[in-house]
Amino acid sequence: MLLPQLHLLQALTLLKFLLLGCKAICQSHNSCKHLDQYYKGVQQGENVVIVPQGGLKRRPGTQFIARILQGLTRYTSQPTVVASATDPTNINDGNDNTYTLTPSGLAAPFAIATYDLGASFSAKTFLDVRNCSLFQSGAVGQKTANITIEWSTDNTNWTVAATFEINNQTERNFRLNTSALVKRYWRLQTDIPAPSGYKVKIAEFVFNTESGSSSPVGNYKLFGWEYGSDKSYLTVLTNLNLRVYRVPHAGSTNTVLIADVPLPYLGADIPEVKVCQTEGVMLMFHEDYPPQRVVFDGLDTANSFAVDAVPFVNVPQYDYNDSVSPIPTTAVQTMSVDGFEVGKRYQITVEGVTSKAITYAGNGAAGAAGTDRMESSAFNLQKNLQEMPVFGFSGITVTPVLSGDYNTYTISMRDDSAGTYKLFTGFPISGSPEDTAAFAITTQGAPRTEDVWSANRGYPRQGVFHEGRLWLGGSKSKTQSIFASRAGNYYDFFSEEGEDDEGIFVTIDSRGLTDIVDINPDRGLQVFCKGAEFLVKGQTPSNIEVVSQTQHGSFNLEAQSFDGATLFVDKNGNTLRQFLFNFGEDAYASADLSVLSSQLINQPVAMATLSGTTTEDANWVFLVNADGAGAVLNTMRNQDINGGFSRWTPHTGAAGTNFTRDCKIKSCATAGDYMYQVTQRSTGAQTGSVDIECWN
């Protein structure tokens, strides 16, 4: 009997050891992964790419596309203004203040302004029309007119160089490249007929010339713009300009310049500019500039792009309650009841929102009992009004008027409840239908709340289009807040009653640092903050929640959706992480992809991804470091292949030169199936050159 029991004990012991061994193997799984990466990598690789199937090869070369546009200088000589009652210095003064011009003739077209560049004129790079629109007092609906830019060699015979459309609802900006049109006379005309009552509003009609300095001004940033299946564009942001190129496509093997777009961003601010696109619209964000909208008509002409400030409506309101907040004015209305009996209930509607049921405690003549009843009625009214979402958390007072018919109450709305309110309405919900509650406005108030983003408070830092809404991630003064537009209306942030299609305004609360660095529309809306990573769940004001996922924190660099995962650089600026859902934890995890190559990632300034092509199986992740070197990862996640990192240095143009001193990569982006980079060189004949290049 003992022998079988002994065998059973031995079997159980063996099973225990096997289970412990399996546990140890599972615990060392990450170490195995790191060991696997070690054997798939190379000890040191520079200017090579690691082939996922094994081995390595020389990295792609780069094809010269164009030189970066240098800084722009405004032509300060004034035009001759034909439109009446207009100072010619107004439309060439270097600011964007608009002026209204009245047609001077009786028949269209009429000239707005004319330039004579003089007998010794030279070529100008751009001719800008800024903040131009159509105007008529009291106009209803959208009206349009044409603006033409024309040139002449004799001030008599004119040739149209470009035609733009303006309307009475949006101020538009246009830029014409005039570097190949070396003409003496230029004018701006419109086809508005003088008797129509319409006028033209314009801020600037001015030439800008590329500076002759040895290197461009400030910084440079590249963005890809996917307009259609075979219509991809590279956009290059430089000081005060966005240059648009169409990448190679069916019928063309070249990267071709299409247009230049005037933008307000100065060179020093360009690194912080972020963009989002949908079809023919690109939105651009920076905390110190009103968000810009670039609209593309898809025709690939010099005037196919128009730019204006994003036309936001119903901007969310917020009470900053500080020294620069608006000074509130107390609003006062009175309510007089007639026929109400003790215990009857009524409701009040304020700004379209109806209160809960309010119990009337009675009124009465002078005396202790009457005063008590009126004060109780006033308290019930005050309590229910303060709970309404149209008011703040405090500031409502209701005072009974102890005179006259003893049935009147004064409602005051001050501090965070102050505002400009329409006349309240009231109605009984019990008692006689003839009972009435009449209101009158005694004093119209002004709120302490203000637009949550503005020139005073700064603007949104980034935005994305996601599931029918425009989502904005943080602003200069509300760094931890997320804003979403109304469903189906990207620029309307109306939110009042919490309906499902209304806008959303939510602030991330966490023990960690939650200043928003980037938002990414992937498998759900992912939010990357300085101290943690979050996922937005829900799509309406009533069900939205922001759920913590991992706690690494993000470097100030846009995340990239790639190969089924999201890649981001964590807050130390030396680690590339893969944000990917983990079914075992029912949450996202942030695996370290550069654990054996962190020395190759050094405070990156740009990151781009390039999917496998007909000639390359691998997917490439390219990072541009602050020191001007690049780091590239070859990966095929679905095959569990991470080929390791290698270091890239740009061609210096001279043998033996030090890339960190003489040659640097400044930015990168993917457009279509092509990877582009900006390279700055300081050697030999290439001294001072900053070039756009394409991997080839």
Side-chain angles (χ1 to χ4, degrees):
M1 295 294 295
L2 294 177
L3 187 59
Q5 293 178 359
L6 181 61
H7 289 169
L8 179 60
L9 181 61
Q10 290 174 334
L12 291 173
T13 303
L14 178 61
L15 180 60
K16 178 181 179 181
F17 283 127
L18 288 173
L19 291 174
L20 288 174
C22 290
K23 181 179 180 181
I25 291 172
C26 292
Q27 290 176 339
S28 65
H29 181 62
N30 287 334
S31 297
C32 291
K33 277 190 170 183
H34 297 163
L35 188 63
D36 190 45
Q37 289 184 29
Y38 179 84
Y39 284 117
K40 291 178 181 177
V42 62
Q43 182 174 2
Q44 181 176 345
E46 184 166 328
N47 291 327
V48 296
V49 291
I50 299 171
V51 180
Q53 295 85 351
L56 51 82
K57 62 181 180 180
R58 190 184 186 281
R59 71 165 176 87
T62 55
Q63 176 188 359
F64 173 81
I65 301 299
R67 291 286 166 87
I68 282 284
L69 182 71
Q70 298 182 8
L72 298 176
T73 302
R74 182 171 64 91
Y75 176 70
T76 57
S77 296
Q78 302 301 325
T80 300
V81 177
V82 178
S84 62
T86 303
D87 182 351
T89 63
N90 287 342
I91 59 175
N92 185 6
D93 57 7
N95 66 50
D96 284 343
N97 297 329
T98 58
Y99 304 93
T100 303
L101 310 182
T102 304
S104 59
L106 296 177
F110 75 92
I112 296 173
T114 302
Y115 275 103
D116 178 358
L117 301 182
S120 58
F121 68 95
S122 59
K124 311 301 180 187
T125 308
F126 299 123
L127 183 54
D128 293 347
V129 179
R130 298 191 59 81
N131 291 1
C132 190
S133 63
L134 193 60
F135 172 76
Q136 184 186 44
S137 179
V140 178
Q142 179 169 303
K143 308 296 181 182
T144 62
N146 290 316
I147 294 286
T148 59
I149 297 176
E150 303 176 354
W151 59 262
S152 174
T153 58
D154 56 10
N155 202 24
T156 301
N157 300 299
W158 293 88
T159 301
V160 175
T163 301
F164 309 108
E165 184 180 86
I166 60 172
N167 61 59
N168 60 327
Q169 297 181 346
T170 307
E171 291 184 346
R172 290 295 175 89
N173 298 274
F174 307 100
R175 171 163 283 173
L176 176 66
N177 191 321
T178 58
S179 57
L181 295 171
V182 186
K183 311 298 179 182
R184 176 173 175 175
Y185 301 97
W186 292 87
R187 72 181 183 186
L188 190 68
Q189 290 215 137
T190 181
D191 61 0
I192 305 172
S196 68
Y198 281 95
K199 303 177 182 181
V200 173
K201 293 182 70 175
I202 188 172
E204 294 283 290
F205 175 55
V206 62
F207 285 100
N208 280 287
T209 304
E210 188 173 7
S211 66
S213 60
S214 59
S215 62
V217 175
N219 300 283
Y220 341 102
K221 199 165 186 178
L222 306 182
F223 304 101
W225 188 343
E226 305 301 320
Y227 181 79
S229 59
D230 194 36
K231 296 195 74 172
S232 299
Y233 298 84
L234 173 72
T235 61
V236 184
L237 182 62
T238 57
N239 184 63
L240 301 175
N241 190 75
L242 183 73
R243 180 157 279 185
V244 183
Y245 296 86
R246 185 165 181 185
V247 307
H249 55 280
S252 175
T253 59
N254 299 319
T255 301
V256 180
L257 173 63
I258 299 296
D260 288 280
V261 180
L263 287 172
Y265 304 112
L266 298 176
D269 299 323
I270 286 174
E272 301 301 321
V273 175
K274 296 182 179 179
V275 306
C276 65
Q277 305 108 19
T278 179
E279 295 180 335
V281 175
M282 173 189 282
L283 304 185
M284 310 187 76
F285 301 93
H286 187 288
E287 65 177 23
D288 292 325
Y289 297 82
Q292 301 293 298
R293 178 177 64 170
V294 182
V295 180
F296 176 41
D297 63 14
L299 299 180
D300 288 358
T301 64
N303 59 339
S304 286
F305 296 86
V307 61
D308 61 0
V310 178
F312 291 127
V313 294
N314 296 315
V315 173
Q317 300 297 292
Y318 187 75
D319 183 5
Y320 286 99
N321 191 18
D322 58 20
S323 60
V324 297
S325 294
I327 298 175
T329 301
T330 300
V332 180
Q333 295 196 24
T334 59
M335 181 185 76
S336 299
V337 299
D338 183 23
F340 280 26
E341 297 180 357
V342 175
K344 301 304 180 183
R345 296 187 300 166
Y346 64 99
Q347 290 178 292
I348 293 177
T349 299
V350 181
E351 303 292 310
V353 180
T354 302
S355 71
K356 296 178 182 178
I358 307 171
T359 301
Y360 187 66
N363 56 9
T371 300
D372 290 344
R373 288 194 297 268
M374 291 192 73
E375 288 181 348
S376 180
S377 295
F379 173 79
N380 292 341
L381 175 57
Q382 181 271 334
K383 178 178 181 295
N384 281 275
L385 286 176
Q386 194 70 78
E387 292 177 352
M388 295 180 67
V390 295
F391 300 115
F393 293 103
S394 63
I396 302 291
T397 59
V398 179
T399 306
V401 179
L402 301 175
S403 62
D405 293 333
Y406 292 89
N407 65 345
T408 301
Y409 300 84
T410 300
I411 304 169
S412 299
M413 296 149 281
R414 58 172 53 88
D415 299 331
D416 60 341
S417 292
T420 303
Y421 298 103
K422 296 180 176 65
L423 186 67
F424 297 176
T425 57
F427 54 92
I429 57 175
S430 67
S432 172
E434 284 76 25
D435 297 344
T436 60
F439 289 85
I441 296 177
T442 301
T443 305
Q444 191 59 275
R448 191 172 65 194
T449 58
E450 58 187 295
D451 288 352
V452 70
W453 63 77
S454 64
N456 288 334
R457 300 297 182 177
Y459 296 97
R461 291 175 167 178
Q462 56 260 315
V464 296
F465 296 103
H466 179 64
E467 295 191 355
R469 299 179 188 262
L470 173 63
W471 296 79
L472 306 176
S475 65
K476 186 174 185 178
S477 298
K478 292 292 291 178
T479 58
Q480 301 172 198
S481 295
I482 299 172
F483 314 94
S485 69
R486 298 188 70 175
N489 192 334
Y490 291 138
Y491 309 130
D492 187 351
F493 286 78
F494 175 83
S495 179
E496 189 171 274
E497 300 182 22
E499 298 292 341
D500 286 353
D501 68 336
E502 289 187 7
I504 297 171
F505 179 0
V506 62
T507 299
I508 302 175
D509 296 316
S510 175
R511 294 183 65 181
L513 188 59
T514 55
D515 286 6
I516 298 172
V517 172
D518 194 33
I519 52 179
N520 184 56
D522 195 77
R523 296 171 178 173
L525 189 67
Q526 302 162 348
V527 183
F528 296 91
C529 300
K530 288 186 176 180
E533 293 73 55
F534 296 85
L535 184 70
V536 175
K537 296 184 177 180
Q539 285 290 317
T540 68
S542 61
N543 67 11
I544 188 170
E545 57 178 334
V546 185
V547 182
S548 177
Q549 301 296 305
T550 58
Q551 292 75 43
H552 295 286
S554 182
F555 193 67
N556 188 20
L557 190 70
E558 294 96 323
Q560 298 283 340
S561 294
F562 189 58
D563 202 15
T566 300
L567 306 181
F568 72 100
V569 176
D570 74 11
K571 62 185 176 184
N572 62 34
N574 299 107
T575 303
L576 179 66
R577 293 191 176 274
Q578 178 177 260
F579 194 60
L580 187 64
F581 191 80
N582 185 314
F583 286 94
E585 297 185 10
D586 193 26
Y588 278 78
S590 297
D592 186 348
L593 294 182
S594 58
V595 63
L596 300 178
S597 308
S598 58
Q599 75 279 7
L600 297 184
I601 302 176
N602 178 21
Q603 311 296 301
V605 297
M607 177 169 62
T609 59
L610 183 63
S611 299
T613 65
T614 55
T615 58
E616 296 288 345
D617 293 332
N619 300 314
W620 290 351
V621 181
F622 187 56
L623 294 106
V624 176
N625 291 322
D627 63 4
V632 64
L633 169 67
N634 292 53
T635 176
M636 296 177 66
R637 192 181 67 83
N638 60 343
Q639 300 295 326
D640 196 25
I641 295 174
N642 283 319
F645 282 85
S646 58
R647 183 172 183 257
W648 287 28
T649 57
H651 172 61
T652 60
T657 53
N658 183 345
F659 90 94
T660 59
R661 183 182 70 245
D662 300 312
C663 192
K664 297 180 180 180
I665 306 172
K666 306 294 289 186
S667 184
C668 66
T670 303
D673 295 328
Y674 298 87
M675 178 74 77
Y676 292 87
Q677 67 186 44
V678 173
T679 306
Q680 178 177 333
R681 294 186 172 85
S682 303
T683 58
Q686 295 177 317
T687 298
S689 70
V690 182
D691 303 328
I692 305 168
E693 300 172 341
C694 179
W695 289 10
N696 189 328

